[in-house]
């Protein structure tokens, strides 16, 4: 279930949900799913999406998803992936540059959870630990008492993402995985955050302490394309993008570093995701 920042309930894509229920809810569907998520097929799908043969999919997708193309820099895209990773016009995603404001790294549906030493997070039926997510128990322990922010992108969302604050980042750590869809229906059968390919970095931010940002790939390609290795970064600077496939970003905040806006916390407590946009304020720094 999804709400916008006004508290209005938003209807999800029923056709997509029906297909996912078929894949994850039956024996035959799960056999098909194993074939769909095989690395060789994923690579082949990636090559197709990068090729000119995929161009006819663009107009069909725009029509079926109702994408407002006036928000984006549009041109004669050479492939579907070129369209999928299109740039938004800067004025359509203004970044809140107030240092004390925590911003969303992307267009997405956001859920917020508190972390404790024994936390096993349940998200629409899926359970996982932070140490499983980043495959690093010692680092995960640093975030006990903090917050776990889960930003779920759907295929019609803008698929580029930014840094939530200025600071210095470490290199990117990639964790191999099996690609599964990040739609909530999938979580009823699979712990997708442990199975999906993912990449994370630790960012020493100016206003929110140490932050971990994790990008999680998705079924059928789900490629993560991060731009930068270790070094200084700026708030609102583009960090990277996802190629074709729904995807997820997880942001981990240390204890006592930020408070999340009340509407988002209320929605999460009631089991609703909240629609947020790239660069939009979602919380406030607690640093003195």
């Amino acid at each position: 279930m999804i709400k916008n920042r006004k508290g209005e309930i938003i209807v999800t894509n029923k056709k997509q949900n029906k297909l996912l229920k078929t894949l994850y809810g039956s024996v035959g569907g799960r056999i098909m799913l194993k074939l769909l998520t095989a690395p060789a097929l994923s690579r082949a799908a990636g090559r197709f999406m990068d090729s000119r043969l995929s161009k006819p999919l663009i107009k069909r997708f725009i029509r079926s998803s109702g994408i407002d193309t006036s928000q984006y820099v549009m041109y004669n895209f050479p492939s579907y992936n070129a369209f999928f990773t299109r740039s938004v016009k800067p004025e359509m995603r203004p970044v809140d540059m107030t240092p004390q404001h925590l911003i969303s790294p992307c267009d997405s549906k956001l859920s917020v959870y508190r972390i404790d030493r024994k936390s096993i997070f349940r998200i629409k039926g899926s359970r996982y630990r932070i140490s499983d997510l980043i495959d690093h128990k010692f680092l995960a322990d640093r975030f006990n008492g903090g917050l776990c922010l889960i930003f779920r992108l759907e295929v019609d969302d803008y698929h580029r993402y930014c840094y939530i604050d200025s600071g210095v980042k470490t290199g990117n750590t990639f964790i191999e995985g099996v690609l599964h869809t990040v739609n909530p229906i999938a979580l009823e059968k699979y712990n997708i955050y442990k199975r999906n390919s993912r990449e994370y970095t630790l960012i020493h931010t100016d206003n929110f302490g140490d932050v971990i940002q994790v990008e999680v790939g998705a079924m059928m390609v789900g490629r993560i394309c991060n731009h930068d290795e270790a070094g200084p970064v700026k708030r609102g600077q583009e960090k990277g993008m996802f190629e074709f496939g729904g995807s997820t970003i997880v942001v981990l905040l240390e204890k006592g570093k930020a408070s999340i806006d009340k509407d988002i916390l209320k929605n999460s407590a009631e089991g609703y995701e909240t629609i947020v946009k790239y660069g939009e304020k979602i919380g406030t720094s607690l640093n003195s």
Side-chain angles (χ1 to χ4, degrees):
M1 298 287 284
I2 301 169
K3 284 187 177 182
N4 59 25
R5 296 302 297 267
K6 296 179 181 179
E8 300 165 332
I9 296 175
I10 305 300
V11 178
T12 56
N13 188 325
K14 293 182 179 180
K15 289 183 179 179
Q16 184 187 54
N17 287 346
K18 184 176 180 180
L19 172 61
L20 290 168
K21 283 181 179 178
T22 299
L23 284 174
Y24 283 87
S26 66
V27 174
R30 289 194 289 275
I31 292 172
M32 185 182 298
L33 188 65
K34 286 186 177 181
L35 297 175
L36 289 173
T37 56
L41 183 57
S42 186
R43 288 193 294 270
R47 288 193 294 270
F48 171 74
M49 291 300 183
D50 285 334
S51 75
R52 291 187 175 275
L53 295 174
S54 64
K55 283 185 67 173
L57 298 176
I58 297 173
K59 289 184 178 179
R60 189 183 311 166
F61 181 75
I62 291 172
R63 285 196 304 268
S64 64
S65 300
I67 292 174
D68 179 4
T69 56
S70 68
Q71 295 189 25
Y72 300 96
V73 179
M74 301 294 289
Y75 61 97
N76 184 22
F77 296 105
S79 67
Y80 184 87
N81 251 339
F83 161 74
F84 191 79
T85 58
R86 63 197 178 278
S87 295
V88 74
K89 295 177 181 177
E91 65 272 20
M92 302 307 298
R93 295 294 185 278
V95 175
D96 188 327
M97 297 302 289
T98 304
Q100 294 75 27
H101 288 177
L102 178 66
I103 63 171
S104 170
C106 57
D107 287 13
S108 62
K109 288 73 182 173
L110 170 62
S111 299
V112 180
Y113 303 90
R114 191 164 297 281
I115 305 166
D116 65 40
R117 195 168 295 279
K118 295 183 179 180
S119 288
I120 299 177
F121 293 96
R122 183 179 176 88
I123 306 173
K124 305 293 186 181
S126 178
R127 297 177 176 85
Y128 69 94
R129 294 179 175 86
I130 297 301
S131 57
D132 298 325
L133 180 68
I134 62 174
D135 197 25
H136 196 307
K137 186 178 185 304
F138 177 78
L139 183 57
D141 285 345
R142 291 179 55 187
F143 291 84
N144 288 329
L147 296 172
C148 176
L149 282 60
I150 299 174
F151 301 85
R152 183 178 64 85
L153 292 77
E154 295 185 318
V155 291
D156 54 346
D157 283 319
Y158 180 49
H159 269 67
R160 296 185 180 229
Y161 45 88
C162 69
Y163 293 101
I164 64 168
D165 196 24
S166 299
V168 178
K169 72 180 287 287
T170 65
N172 304 309
T173 299
F174 182 76
I175 301 171
E176 194 67 60
V178 178
L179 297 178
H180 283 286
T181 179
V182 293
N183 186 286
I185 292 170
L187 306 186
E188 296 172 5
K189 295 291 181 181
Y190 288 86
N191 187 334
I192 61 103
Y193 291 101
K194 289 181 66 176
R195 289 175 174 258
N196 282 40
S197 298
R198 51 213 184 271
E199 188 163 297
Y200 75 88
T201 187
L202 177 66
I203 308 169
H204 308 292
T205 70
D206 291 348
N207 299 286
F208 303 96
D210 284 350
V211 171
I212 289 180
Q213 182 164 323
V214 189
E215 290 85 34
V216 185
M219 188 176 77
M220 297 300 291
V221 189
R223 288 181 294 191
I224 302 163
C225 304
N226 280 314
H227 301 323
D228 311 305
E229 290 300 329
V233 298
K234 296 291 185 182
R235 168 189 290 256
Q237 172 187 337
E238 186 178 295
K239 184 178 187 295
M241 58 185 150
F242 291 107
E243 294 189 349
F244 176 68
S247 309
T248 294
I249 291 175
V250 179
V251 172
L252 306 178
L253 300 172
E254 294 177 298
K255 181 180 180 180
K257 297 299 182 180
S259 63
I260 305 301
D261 288 348
K262 290 180 179 179
D263 63 314
I264 297 173
L265 290 177
K266 182 175 183 293
N267 288 344
S268 291
E270 295 175 352
Y272 289 96
E273 296 173 298
T274 303
I275 296 175
V276 295
K277 296 295 184 183
Y278 182 114
E280 174 186 358
K281 176 183 177 292
I282 59 171
T284 306
S285 172
L286 293 177
N287 286 343
S288 55

